[in-house]
Amino acid sequence: MKPTLPLDGEETVRSSAMPSQATAEPPAPPVAGKRPDVPGTSGTFLARAALLTAVLSAAGSLLGLVRDQTLAHIFGAGSATDAFLVAWTVPEVATTLLIEDGLAFMLVPAFSAAIAARATSLPTEQDPVRALVAGSLPRLALAFLASAVLLMIGAPQLVELLAPGLPDPQLAVDCTRLTATCLFTFGLTGYCSAALRAHSSYLAPAAIYVAYNTGIIITLLVLADRWGVRAAAAGVAVGGCLMVLVQAPVLCRRLRSAARGAAGRAVDTKASKKQAMDLALIATVLLFALCRQSQVFIERFLASSLPSGAISHLNYAQKVAQLPMVLSLMLCTVTFPVVANALARGDIERARDRVERDIALAACIVLSGAAVVFACAPEIIQLLFQRGAFTGRDTAATASIMRVYSLGLLGHCLVGALVRSYFSAGRPTWYPVAAMAAGMTLTAGAGTFAVAYWGVGGIAAANALGITFTAVLLLTAMDSRSVPVRLPVVLLELGKTLLAAVAATGAGLLCTSRIEQPLAALAVACLAIGAVFAFLLWALNVQAFLPAVRIATRKLRNVR
């Protein structure tokens, strides 16, 4: 019986004796000399998992836009939103450290190695996956809780450090204490996400931002009249709890199923210690994530001394501009366990091919989005935000910043894709930390210089410059320090894709300059950008685009 992809995104287990089930018993140890099948690595499964992740992530991003629209409509872009956005730094950092980058870089390779070890272990041996959970989850949960409490206590000092020029620092302190709860809930969310993705289960991890933004929006609408902007901070606490509730039952079922399939295996202290996290790995991953997120600290610190609303304009511009980058990294999120599993088995060639394809596809997605963002920035901001307390002046300021941000989108995408390769082997490596620190230093220096001449636009330009410099450092060192990709091939494909994006951006600008109505201008420009970009990818023979052309051609032939 041919297996299908279940609704929870877990790949079924092939069996000649019974129908495939997502919760089937783990396969028996492989026959000596025969290489075991690796779950969740077939092309069809990865395509479906990537589509599932992209759809739910897009839904979460759209709800994030609704969240920002609601905030802008109720509070505009003034001192109240500036105070909240300083507190919003906490969930932004926690997302990077605990969900998107930090924990994932540590736990996905660890769970992948434990799953690979389970497949070859004897029934009388300890279950490596259960040992990993027993050795890591209690300690990490305690660390998450302690961090949340410490942040609540130190909220006044943090606000003073991040934004010393705020007109109402107490409001920012109150919001920071409410958002500090996310250090605990996001930590548990990240742990569940990493464990589920390593088990080839993608539905629940992809749905977390739908739950998160829904919680914020509902809390904001219910409490805004009584609590003011503090309601948005309370929504962060509610949304964090919902993210845990979305995933925890699914992970518990997976672990219980594994426990039944590993009956007779005991979990002892020695096994747990074997599966515990490497402290050096934890240090490198967390420092990298902190350095990456420090760009936000730098931006808000520099903007806090500018006129009221500068932080808000930066925030709205960045949120919209980074949507293409978020979508482009969905494939890398799905394939990260595949690369980690390949390296755990010593299959360097498979890991290299996967990383090269991921870089090429992610670049195609992010550059097409960057073309739309640059060409249509005023129309996008006007349609999304210009209502209520958000004025035409706010639209013009936000759109100009967003265009500058779009120049760094390829750098952001490449850093997100490449750093997964550096940490996919589950070993500590300090090079990504050094590269990110160099980019952060460049961002701080350039931003300090540029803000005096170009205001918030100079801050955004420094961000783009710093992250692009980091991407160059990571890419050029891949061959010797990470998965050994073929650098000339990668650079050639990136160059052709970038050329197509520049031409498509010109076509979009031409359309928006001729059409005054914003919705019509956006629609026509998107069509023109898509057509020009796709044609040039085909004409330039961009390898990442050719499979899509072949599939479309085959479909047309079948219709005829």
Side-chain angles (χ1 to χ4, degrees), residues 49-50 53-55 57-58 100 325-335:
T53 302
V55 168
S57 297
E100 299 299 336
M325 184 268 294
V326 172
L327 293 176
S328 69
L329 290 178
M330 288 302 101
L331 178 65
C332 299
T333 300
V334 171
T335 59

Side-chain angles (χ1 to χ4, degrees), residues 29 114 116-131 258-259 261-268 271 274-275:
R118 172 198 281 166
T120 57
S121 62
L122 298 174
T124 55
E125 296 176 342
Q126 294 85 7
D127 178 21
V129 176
R130 293 176 64 202
R265 293 179 179 177
V267 179
D268 59 23
K274 276 184 182 179
Q275 298 295 335

